[in-house]
Amino acid sequence: MSEAGIVKVSALNEYIKTIFDSNDHLKRIRVEGEISNFKRHSASGHLYFSLKDASAAISCVMFRSAAERLRQLPQNGDAVIVEGSVSVYTKTGSYQLYAQRMMPVGVGDLQLKYEALKQKLLEEGVFKTEDTRRALPAVPKKIGIVTSPTGAVIRDMIRVLKRRWPMVDVLLVPASVQGAEGVPSICQALHTLYARTDIDVIICGRGGGSLEDLWNFNDEIVVRTIAASPIPIISAVGHETDVTLADFVADVRAGTPSMAAELAVPDVAQVMRTTREARLSLEKQMATLISHKREILKGFLAGGFLQDASKVLGPYSLQLDQNREALEKQIKDILQAKTNDFRKQASRLDAMSPLKVLGRGYSFCEKNGEAVTSVEQVAVGDPLTLTFKDGSVTTEVKDITQKRL
């Protein structure tokens, strides 16, 4: 921009905006202050407010896309930390803070880390949806539990499971659920259960505590490991008001570990009541059916059908006779056709029989059991056997006369 040149207001504002937007310190900044002049635009859903401290204030705007991620709308007087970027609104020449995230003062870096990872996993599609959540088995035979082996949590879960469904088998894979060793311990325990083929459902969780205490269930490695479960898995972390990232990737979120145990198995008392009601309903239906069939039987008796069996069996007997006659005729026809075919084949074989030839005055000559068909096969003095139609003779060659062809 020229020092001596005359510029329009809009150009000046645009120039100042480029200075703000090029400043890395203003691109992502966290500002602490108190909410005032809060307003939510009814049509657009954008939030407009000021952030102030004891001696200054800055105008802020949070667009609808970011505001929809808030757990609850802020109110005037709330002490908050706002994360966003500072830029210029060129229409009025005023600079303002464009908020992307907002959290109460005192939450600190963990909450910021939580919100950032939550957004990342949401965009990747790691979280379960209504379409991807798997239903829990109606009657699980074996339940795997990943939690601390000591304390009231595991005792409460086992007590609830055995009270509701005494025949269920429980396998506890102990894990450290708090502290630096918690992440590898939880993941290793989960993989131990994933490698088995006899587990129907998994409960993974711990009792209540601070955000720091529950943080292992917000860790990205733990969250992705839970999301990769090959069988239905229940997240049971803390109290009902505690929400961890593990809740978003599990198939079912339970408010407490005890509630997870209740969700995992049916109630044996309720099953017995349902079975009893089903039995009574079945007995009632059977009684109704028997009564109906009895009325039909009474009608037959009143009509005399069962007193004279011929009235009932007569039509069937006639049909049986007709079927028998048809079957006998079919068998005779098949037998006659086969007989005729056999005779034709026998006649053809008889016509080709050597005995027919011998019957016309011819004989069959053999030498040492082999047929003689030429004078070249014999010599003077050779014994020959001549077969006729009614017997055979043995002779000796006296002379050989060969016919010239």
Side-chain angles (χ1 to χ4, degrees):
M1 180 177 291
S2 172
E3 293 182 0
I6 300 175
V7 299
K8 292 183 178 294
V9 173
S10 58
L12 176 62
N13 287 349
E14 287 290 347
Y15 176 71
I16 297 175
K17 184 177 186 301
T18 60
I19 297 175
F20 273 75
D21 293 345
S22 62
N23 189 317
D24 292 337
H25 295 291
L26 300 179
K27 286 181 179 179
R28 187 172 182 178
I29 190 171
R30 296 173 187 170
V31 182
E32 180 180 339
E34 179 182 312
I35 297 285
S36 65
N37 301 319
F38 177 80
K39 177 183 177 181
R40 180 178 183 272
H41 196 282
S42 58
S44 66
H46 303 329
L47 307 183
Y48 300 93
F49 57 95
S50 296
L51 201 61
K52 68 178 184 178
D53 57 20
S55 57
I58 183 175
S59 297
C60 305
V61 59
M62 176 176 276
F63 295 128
R64 179 179 177 177
S65 57
E68 288 177 340
R69 297 196 296 267
L70 295 175
R71 294 186 183 182
Q72 60 184 21
L73 291 178
Q75 297 180 1
N76 288 328
D78 287 349
V80 297
I81 297 174
V82 174
E83 179 181 308
S85 59
V86 179
S87 187
V88 174
Y89 182 46
T90 56
K91 186 174 182 179
T92 61
S94 59
Y95 75 90
Q96 56 189 7
L97 176 61
Y98 292 86
Q100 291 294 324
R101 295 184 180 88
M102 180 187 300
M103 62 286 302
V105 169
V107 174
D109 290 339
L110 279 182
Q111 186 64 35
L112 295 173
K113 186 176 180 181
Y114 173 94
E115 295 294 341
L117 181 57
K118 179 182 177 182
Q119 184 62 27
K120 173 186 175 181
L121 297 176
L122 178 64
E123 292 173 355
E124 289 184 19
V126 178
F127 292 166
K128 287 288 195 305
T129 65
E130 291 299 326
D131 294 331
T132 58
R133 289 189 184 97
R134 293 165 294 191
L136 300 179
V139 184
K141 295 181 180 179
K142 196 165 192 175
I143 294 177
I145 298 179
V146 174
T147 192
S148 172
T150 60
V153 169
I154 184 60
R155 293 197 299 270
D156 289 345
M157 282 197 287
I158 292 177
R159 175 179 54 79
V160 172
L161 289 170
K162 293 300 182 180
R163 170 177 57 81
R164 287 177 60 85
W165 199 249
M167 59 285 293
V168 71
D169 191 9
V170 178
L171 175 62
L172 169 64
V173 181
S176 177
V177 294
Q178 188 170 327
E181 70 278 9
V183 170
S185 180
I186 294 170
C187 293
Q188 182 178 357
L190 287 171
H191 284 300
T192 298
L193 291 176
Y194 294 169
R196 299 177 67 100
T197 59
D198 58 341
I199 304 298
D200 298 313
V201 64
I202 295 173
I203 300 175
C204 181
R206 55 154 293 154
S210 65
L211 180 62
E212 290 81 1
D213 294 335
L214 306 181
W215 188 253
N216 282 328
F217 293 91
N218 290 319
D219 184 89
E220 184 172 0
I221 298 176
V222 171
V223 172
R224 291 186 184 276
T225 302
I226 294 175
S229 175
I231 59 175
I233 187 167
I234 303 174
S235 172
V237 182
H239 303 297
E240 275 195 85
T241 55
D242 297 319
V243 179
T244 65
L245 296 180
D247 297 331
F248 296 103
V249 296
D251 294 287
V252 175
R253 183 229 175 206
T256 66
S258 296
M259 291 176 63
E262 292 186 0
L263 293 171
V265 294
D267 183 3
V268 64
Q270 179 61 44
V271 171
M272 292 179 65
R273 285 193 296 269
T274 302
T275 303
R276 184 164 52 250
E277 291 171 359
R279 185 190 65 197
L280 293 175
S281 176
L282 182 60
E283 290 175 350
K284 183 178 179 180
Q285 293 179 37
M286 289 298 297
T288 301
L289 179 61
I290 291 172
S291 176
H292 176 65
K293 297 300 183 182
R294 184 177 287 114
E295 292 300 320
I296 295 176
L297 180 60
K298 287 180 180 179
F300 281 128
L301 292 173
F305 286 102
L306 298 182
Q307 295 177 2
D308 185 359
S310 62
K311 291 183 178 180
V312 179
L313 301 179
Y316 297 102
S317 177
L318 179 60
Q319 182 66 41
L320 182 61
D321 289 341
Q322 292 174 348
N323 291 342
R324 185 178 64 250
E325 291 176 0
L327 181 59
E328 290 176 350
K329 183 179 184 304
Q330 187 177 10
I331 292 174
K332 288 179 180 179
D333 291 344
I334 294 173
L335 182 59
Q336 185 62 47
K338 296 296 183 183
T339 300
N340 293 339
D341 185 59
F342 176 76
R343 287 175 178 173
K344 290 179 181 179
Q345 297 297 335
S347 177
R348 291 174 185 168
L349 290 174
D350 184 59
M352 297 173 63
S353 173
L355 296 178
K356 288 287 187 179
V357 179
L358 297 178
R360 295 199 296 272
Y362 293 95
S363 62
F364 178 67
C365 181
E366 293 177 288
K367 174 185 174 182
N368 298 326
E370 294 184 0
V372 178
T373 60
S374 172
V375 295
E376 294 181 353
Q377 295 178 249
V378 299
V380 174
D382 286 346
L384 300 176
T385 301
L386 300 177
T387 301
F388 300 91
K389 69 174 182 177
D390 55 354
S392 61
V393 297
T394 301
T395 183
E396 182 180 306
V397 177
K398 299 295 185 180
D399 185 37
I400 296 175
T401 302
Q402 188 169 10
K403 185 178 179 182
R404 300 296 180 181
L405 299 177

